[in-house]
Amino acid sequence: NAGVTQTPKFRVLKTGQSMTLLCAQDMNHEYMYWYRQDPGMGLRLIHYSVGEGTTAKGEVPDGYNVSRLKKQNFLLGLESAAPSQTSVYFCASRQSSYEQYFGPGTRLTVT
Amino acid sequence: AQKITQTQPGMFVQEKEAVTLDCTYDTSDPSYGLFWYKQPSSGEMIFLIYQGSYDQQNATEGRYSLNFQKARKSANLVISASQLGDSAMYFCAMRERALGKLIFGQGTELSVKP
């Protein structure tokens, strides 16, 4: 039981490049979330999903797209990376219990 | 709109002493949940404690307790008998009821001195 895993752990992109961050959970959770964490700030919600095939915008969705084709996976895409997207990205999942389980994070730098 | 405020950017505490980290919240929803997470320098988010808005008693988990004052809209974290390993960032968060989204405060960096 690995919990929530994120791939990759680190990435450096040039402005304008694209990439996809993968979040996977093996707990059969319905709800999944993508957050970003910037220095001096708490986590902010980018997008979330309440079940397979569904996605919705969070607090800071601009510049990101997501997909939830399989229940266990939640993908976060950056179509054209910008320096403002330099951040640490966290994925989380939840079932009916109150606790959100977080992945280890992905540190992304856009130059 | 829901909001979480942590007014202490940094705190120091002597090893073995107790420390209180402040958190105030704002919501018009009668049903909500309050969380504390610990983020060590390694970066992972570690769940510490949870308090539901209808819970009658303050939550406790080992050395962690949550001082929940509903009328004041505060949910302070108390760490008893601080240890060096408690040095970390601590985030207070509130759960949006229906979809479970978390709203985070800006965090408090706790440093435990030997």
Side-chain angles (χ1 to χ4, degrees):
Chain A
N1 189 337
V4 181
T5 59
Q6 293 183 231
T7 309
K9 289 186 170 51
F10 304 92
R11 185 72 187 268
V12 179
L13 286 179
K14 291 187 182 344
T15 298
Q17 287 185 320
S18 64
M19 78 162 294
T20 300
L21 281 67
L22 170 63
C23 175
Q25 51 94 4
D26 60 3
M27 297 172 282
N28 204 34
H29 286 173
E30 289 292 336
Y31 300 83
M32 296 187 75
Y33 308 86
W34 274 108
Y35 295 89
R36 61 177 287 173
Q37 183 180 26
D38 300 307
M41 301 183 74
L43 280 67
R44 292 182 294 166
L45 183 66
I46 305 171
H47 284 281
Y48 64 98
S49 169
V50 301
E52 182 179 317
T54 74
T55 62
K57 294 181 180 179
E59 185 186 356
V60 287
D62 294 342
Y64 305 95
N65 57 74
V66 287
S67 65
R68 183 100 181 266
L69 298 178
K70 292 183 179 180
K71 188 176 184 178
Q72 63 268 32
N73 294 338
F74 194 28
L75 278 65
L76 178 71
L78 287 73
E79 288 187 349
S80 178
S84 61
Q85 294 178 303
T86 293
S87 190
V88 180
Y89 292 85
F90 286 96
C91 176
S93 72
R94 180 180 73 92
Q95 190 55 17
S96 56
S97 66
Y98 51 78
E99 182 180 347
Q100 285 195 16
Y101 294 82
F102 281 85
T106 294
R107 188 173 294 274
L108 176 66
T109 302
V110 183
T111 61
Chain B
Q2 296 180 319
K3 187 178 178 182
I4 290 281
T5 303
Q6 293 179 255
T7 57
Q8 305 155 313
M11 290 276 289
F12 288 92
V13 65
Q14 204 69 34
E15 192 179 7
K16 299 180 185 176
E17 291 185 350
V19 63
T20 298
L21 306 184
D22 294 341
C23 173
T24 58
Y25 61 92
D26 190 19
T27 181
S28 57
D29 193 337
S31 178
Y32 51 90
L34 295 157
F35 298 75
W36 278 92
Y37 283 86
K38 173 184 178 181
Q39 187 178 43
S41 58
S42 51
E44 70 268 32
M45 296 292 287
I46 302 169
F47 166 76
L48 294 178
I49 197 165
Y50 166 81
Q51 179 85 40
S53 59
Y54 294 120
D55 293 344
Q56 295 295 317
Q57 305 226 341
N58 286 345
T60 59
E61 290 284 350
R63 293 186 299 111
Y64 304 108
S65 60
L66 199 152
N67 184 359
F68 182 47
Q69 298 190 37
K70 198 168 182 176
R72 293 187 176 185
K73 293 190 174 180
S74 74
N76 299 339
L77 177 70
V78 181
I79 306 175
S80 63
S82 297
Q83 301 172 355
L84 296 178
D86 294 334
S87 292
M89 283 290 289
Y90 289 81
F91 290 97
C92 180
M94 179 164 56
R95 182 198 64 205
E96 185 267 359
R97 176 174 54 171
L99 300 170
K101 297 179 287 183
L102 290 178
I103 298 162
F104 284 82
Q106 293 185 318
T108 295
E109 185 170 8
L110 177 66
S111 298
V112 181
K113 295 181 176 180

